[in-house]
Amino acid sequence: AEFAAIRRNRRARLEKALRLAMFLHARTKPWVEGARERAAEVAKRREAERRREEERRKAEEERQRQEREKLEAERKQMEEEQAKREAEQKVREAEQRRLDEERRAKDEELQRDLERQREDLRKKEEEERQALAEERRKLAEERLALEEEKKQRNSILAQASPQHARSGSAVP
């Protein structure tokens, strides 16, 4: 009977422990479920917040990438425009140099033509002066020759000739 009393005590303690466990289980079940739900909601909120943050980060990275691409495209366009302006400037400068060279060559040609004309005119004037001087010299020689001839005629006439004596006139 002692064993039976021990068994009864054990059984009573076991029943008491099981009742307490069932009581605690029944009383704490809603709390545990609420806590599990809250923990699941917190985990969902955290996951949603993490996803939103990741989406925000990706959106920001995409915005920055697009902005970099836009800036790079603008930079390339500016470089192309600058290169185009420089090329146009070089073409204009080359054209201006060519025009200046043509103008200079034309001016030099005109200057040479003018110098040739001046030289030709100077030579012509010199030739005319020489011709005029030659003509004056010839005229002077002819005048001297005429004067010489006149003197000779006068000297011949001035000499007494038998014919002059008959006519009674003597040319002085």
Side-chain angles (χ1 to χ4, degrees):
E2 227 180 272
F3 282 113
I6 292 175
R7 271 192 236 134
R8 270 194 310 265
N9 278 339
R10 279 185 186 169
R11 187 178 197 156
R13 278 196 313 244
L14 182 61
E15 285 176 0
K16 198 176 182 182
L18 284 175
R19 244 187 258 124
L20 182 60
M22 287 297 289
F23 177 78
L24 287 175
H25 176 69
R27 292 295 216 173
T28 59
K29 186 175 180 180
W31 294 349
V32 170
E33 287 177 359
R36 282 185 183 148
E37 288 174 2
R38 285 191 299 278
E41 286 176 14
V42 166
K44 283 181 185 177
R45 277 196 306 262
R46 285 181 183 161
E47 181 62 23
E49 181 64 29
R50 188 192 61 76
R51 275 191 237 124
R52 280 193 302 273
E53 188 60 36
E54 182 68 21
E55 288 173 2
R56 236 187 324 245
R57 186 186 58 76
K58 284 182 180 178
E60 180 64 22
E61 286 175 359
E62 180 64 20
R63 184 190 65 76
Q64 288 178 356
R65 185 190 61 77
Q66 288 175 350
E67 189 173 317
R68 280 192 305 270
E69 288 176 356
K70 181 181 175 186
L71 289 173
E72 182 65 22
E74 288 175 357
R75 184 188 61 78
K76 283 182 180 178
Q77 182 180 3
M78 288 174 61
E79 286 175 354
E80 289 171 0
E81 289 173 358
Q82 180 67 24
K84 185 179 178 182
R85 282 193 299 271
E86 288 174 358
E88 289 172 353
Q89 180 67 23
K90 286 180 182 178
V91 167
R92 281 193 302 273
E93 288 173 357
E95 181 66 18
Q96 185 64 38
R97 282 192 300 271
R98 185 187 64 77
L99 290 174
D100 289 345
E101 184 62 30
E102 286 178 4
R103 192 175 305 117
R104 186 188 58 74
K106 191 181 281 185
D107 288 347
E108 287 176 357
E109 183 63 30
L110 287 173
Q111 188 66 29
R112 283 192 297 269
D113 287 347
L114 184 60
E115 288 296 323
R116 269 192 301 257
Q117 289 173 357
R118 286 179 183 163
E119 184 63 25
D120 291 346
L121 184 60
R122 188 189 61 73
K123 285 180 181 179
K124 190 174 182 180
E125 287 175 352
E126 183 64 30
E127 288 173 0
E128 287 175 359
R129 275 195 294 270
Q130 287 177 358
L132 186 60
E134 182 65 26
E135 195 174 311
R136 284 182 184 158
R137 188 186 59 77
K138 284 181 182 178
L139 284 174
E141 285 178 3
E142 286 178 9
R143 195 173 356 121
L144 284 175
L146 282 175
E147 285 177 8
E148 192 64 38
E149 190 179 310
K150 196 175 185 183
K151 282 182 187 177
Q152 274 184 349
R153 238 188 274 151
N154 282 340
S155 73
I156 291 176
L157 289 176
Q159 290 177 357
S161 72
Q163 210 177 16
H164 282 191
R166 283 189 237 149
S167 66
S169 65
V171 179

